[in-house]
Amino acid sequence: MTAALALNARVRMTGFVTKALFLRGRTTNELEASLGYAKGRLDGGYWLLFLEQTPTPADFEFMGYSQMSGGVPLGHLNSSGGLTAEQSLRAGGFDMTRLKQKIIREVFRISGPERLAKVIPLDPAQGPTPYPPGGGIPQWRIVEPGLLFWVAEQVAPGSAYFGRYV
């Protein structure tokens, strides 16, 4: 997947996103702890991608906060098979379309510090792959067929992104 990434490229991606403001100024080690990557996962650096289009309700799932690995309380490897944040909301009888429309309108942005962003390790084989609980930043999962992202920066090992949010 990362072989196709290049600075300033536009790529269609799925997977977890958060707000850019939680990523800016944090070293790779700090990001690992915040996002819920295993220690050493970002030792090779990472790509920073910014979402280019506003998601629709069908484009994403709620995943709670990063201390919920895989969006599941107690983690995605929880042997009790816990529900994701999205599944819990559905089970609770929430009107998902209405709730997602509210989040799109009030929370999601595609510019500025509140814009949605994605971190992808430069070396997909670098470091261990378990996902421990993170630092508790909001997260959502972009689902198939994916949305358009702009590859904004290649962040070197041990460094932090201090660029603009554009």
Side-chain angles (χ1 to χ4, degrees):
M1 167 172 63
T2 55
L5 297 182
L7 198 57
N8 291 317
R10 297 316 198 260
V11 294
R12 188 166 295 280
M13 304 278 308
T14 60
F16 283 73
V17 296
T18 190
K19 290 186 170 203
L21 63 91
F22 296 112
L23 307 175
R24 188 173 190 276
R26 295 188 183 195
T27 66
T28 51
N29 289 339
E30 292 169 330
L31 274 182
E32 287 170 350
S34 295
L35 295 173
Y37 278 121
K39 186 161 177 48
R41 185 71 175 97
L42 298 178
D43 279 357
Y46 67 92
W47 292 106
L48 176 64
L49 289 74
F50 291 141
L51 189 61
E52 290 274 284
Q53 62 186 110
T54 303
T56 69
D59 291 329
F60 73 96
E61 295 177 345
F62 291 104
M63 288 291 131
Y65 293 85
S66 62
Q67 79 270 21
M68 300 168 59
S69 171
V72 178
L74 304 179
H76 72 289
L77 300 177
N78 177 4
S79 62
S80 68
L83 299 175
T84 67
E86 174 108 356
Q87 292 166 336
S88 294
L89 290 167
R90 287 185 188 283
F94 285 87
D95 179 340
M96 295 306 290
T97 300
R98 190 169 171 204
L99 182 57
K100 287 183 176 188
Q101 288 170 339
K102 178 179 174 59
I103 293 300
I104 291 165
R105 187 175 57 252
E106 297 178 10
V107 176
F108 288 175
R109 299 290 176 264
I110 58 170
S111 66
E114 300 277 330
R115 79 177 306 160
L116 295 178
K118 182 171 185 57
V119 168
I120 299 178
L122 275 171
D123 181 358
Q126 179 68 39
T129 56
Y131 297 98
I137 60 176
Q139 59 184 9
W140 301 270
R141 181 170 49 210
I142 304 299
V143 298
E144 293 293 341
L147 294 177
L148 193 62
F149 285 83
W150 168 53
V151 182
E153 189 77 26
Q154 181 178 332
V155 180
S159 296
Y161 177 73
F162 287 101
R164 298 178 354 169
Y165 297 115
V166 280

